[in-house]
Amino acid sequence: MSTGRKKTLKGRDGRGQMPLSAPARQAVPQLVVAKDPYLLLDNARIPLEIRRSSRARRLKLRIDQRARVVLVLPPKVSVKGGLAFVEQELGWIAGKLARQPQPVPFRDGVTVPLLGVPHRITHAPDRRGLVWAEDGALYVTGAPAHLPRRLRDWMRKTAKQEISGRAADYAGELDVSLKGITLRDQRTRWGSCSSTGQLHFSWRLLFMPEPVMSYIVAHEVAHLRHMNHSPAFWSVVDALHPGVTSARKWLHENGADIHKYGIEPEGGA
């Protein structure tokens, strides 16, 4: 985690030198200690969620999908000690919030990528059916209040169909058995493989370009052959999915943005 230490800009001669056009100073939030502590930034109230974890060995800070600050406390650290830690890391929090993708809720007129192809969410209350994609549009019937839930349900179902088909094909190539596939909304992993052969994926793979989704599925299926990241494992991944390097590059550059879709802004409808 960043210590917040400042760095001096230096010229070729090593002397301190200010840039010709200095960037505007980044706003730093203020910690407000109350019954329910929160952060205040540009008159906006940012929730601070405090969680205690029996498994945590040190204090941790992270920013969740809704741009809320989450503080994780180890068993023997007091809330007061945790808040003092937050106070020390306000500069780090400001930087993370500034880079946080803005939420893109599921609403009429919003554009979302399906396998990398932009689709405009279109509310169609008078048409039959539930949800379907057609000619760059994503139609959702029913009452406006039901649109986010219907769309999310459709996306999870569609994601499982897309992922399951690819996983079955890759498993067939390796002559290995799939024990089952489950979808989650995990933030730290796009996929995982348990020791029992169960595969888990984020349903948000549906927002990625097709080659990237396929790479992630191939990666996890390859673990059914090698439960490690040895050269032998990567050899299997390469054989299943040419283009590993470009897929990993896309994830590094764009993966964080995937989490913004379907998230309601704090206080949103």
Side-chain angles (χ1 to χ4, degrees), residues 104-112 118-124 136-140 147 151 261:
V104 178
F106 291 154
R107 295 178 184 172
D108 183 43
V110 169
T111 298
V112 297
H119 282 69
R120 182 182 177 87
I121 299 173
T122 304
H123 185 219
L138 195 50
Y139 293 99
V140 187
L147 185 149
L151 194 51
Y261 295 108

Side-chain angles (χ1 to χ4, degrees), residues 189-201:
R189 290 184 177 183
W190 297 120
S192 61
C193 176
S194 71
S195 58
T196 61
Q198 185 83 13
L199 302 184
H200 308 283
F201 295 96

Side-chain angles (χ1 to χ4, degrees), residues 81-147:
L83 293 177
F85 176 68
V86 172
E87 189 80 48
Q88 295 173 1
E89 298 295 334
L90 291 177
W92 178 86
I93 293 171
K96 294 291 286 186
L97 289 173
R99 295 189 295 272
Q100 191 79 357
Q102 292 301 306
V104 178
F106 291 154
R107 295 178 184 172
D108 183 43
V110 169
T111 298
V112 297
L114 296 181
L115 291 180
V117 179
H119 282 69
R120 182 182 177 87
I121 299 173
T122 304
H123 185 219
D126 300 326
R127 297 186 65 173
R128 293 184 178 182
L130 294 174
V131 182
W132 69 95
E134 181 181 338
D135 297 331
L138 195 50
Y139 293 99
V140 187
T141 64
H146 299 156
L147 185 149

Side-chain angles (χ1 to χ4, degrees), residues 214-228:
S214 294
Y215 156 68
I216 293 172
V217 176
H219 182 115
E220 299 310 328
V221 172
H223 278 309
L224 297 174
R225 178 69 65 79
H226 300 284
M227 286 297 291
N228 51 49

Side-chain angles (χ1 to χ4, degrees), residues 15-241:
R15 292 176 297 181
Q17 178 178 303
M18 290 298 293
L20 294 178
S21 178
R25 180 174 296 178
Q26 185 171 264
V28 175
Q30 174 188 355
L31 173 62
V32 179
V33 179
K35 181 180 179 181
D36 296 311
Y38 62 93
L39 299 173
L40 196 62
L41 178 62
D42 294 332
N43 296 320
R45 182 167 171 160
I46 302 169
L48 173 62
E49 182 175 345
I50 301 176
R51 300 178 184 174
R52 190 172 292 281
S53 171
S54 60
R55 296 183 297 176
R57 295 176 178 247
R58 57 186 177 84
L59 288 160
K60 296 180 182 178
L61 274 174
R62 67 179 179 84
I63 311 297
D64 73 5
Q65 298 173 1
R66 295 178 183 269
R68 294 175 297 198
V69 179
V70 179
L71 170 66
V72 179
L73 296 177
K76 296 183 179 180
V77 176
S78 66
V79 171
K80 183 178 180 181
L83 293 177
F85 176 68
V86 172
E87 189 80 48
Q88 295 173 1
E89 298 295 334
L90 291 177
W92 178 86
I93 293 171
K96 294 291 286 186
L97 289 173
R99 295 189 295 272
Q100 191 79 357
Q102 292 301 306
V104 178
F106 291 154
R107 295 178 184 172
D108 183 43
V110 169
T111 298
V112 297
L114 296 181
L115 291 180
V117 179
H119 282 69
R120 182 182 177 87
I121 299 173
T122 304
H123 185 219
D126 300 326
R127 297 186 65 173
R128 293 184 178 182
L130 294 174
V131 182
W132 69 95
E134 181 181 338
D135 297 331
L138 195 50
Y139 293 99
V140 187
T141 64
H146 299 156
L147 185 149
R149 177 183 55 79
R150 284 190 171 187
L151 194 51
R152 183 179 291 265
D153 290 347
W154 179 88
M155 286 183 171
R156 291 182 70 98
K157 180 180 178 181
T158 303
K160 187 161 188 179
Q161 291 172 345
E162 296 284 347
I163 291 170
S164 297
R166 288 167 175 77
D169 289 344
Y170 289 137
E173 290 186 44
L174 294 182
D175 194 25
V176 294
S177 299
L178 290 172
K179 300 299 183 183
I181 292 176
T182 59
L183 296 190
R184 300 172 175 174
D185 194 5
Q186 49 201 18
R187 186 171 180 84
T188 57
R189 290 184 177 183
W190 297 120
S192 61
C193 176
S194 71
S195 58
T196 61
Q198 185 83 13
L199 302 184
H200 308 283
F201 295 96
S202 168
W203 67 269
R204 294 177 180 277
L205 268 62
L206 188 64
F207 297 129
M208 300 176 181
E210 193 281 334
V212 181
M213 170 193 272
S214 294
Y215 156 68
I216 293 172
V217 176
H219 182 115
E220 299 310 328
V221 172
H223 278 309
L224 297 174
R225 178 69 65 79
H226 300 284
M227 286 297 291
N228 51 49
H229 287 99
S230 64
F233 164 81
W234 286 110
S235 179
V236 171
V237 178
D238 286 332
L240 290 176
H241 183 79

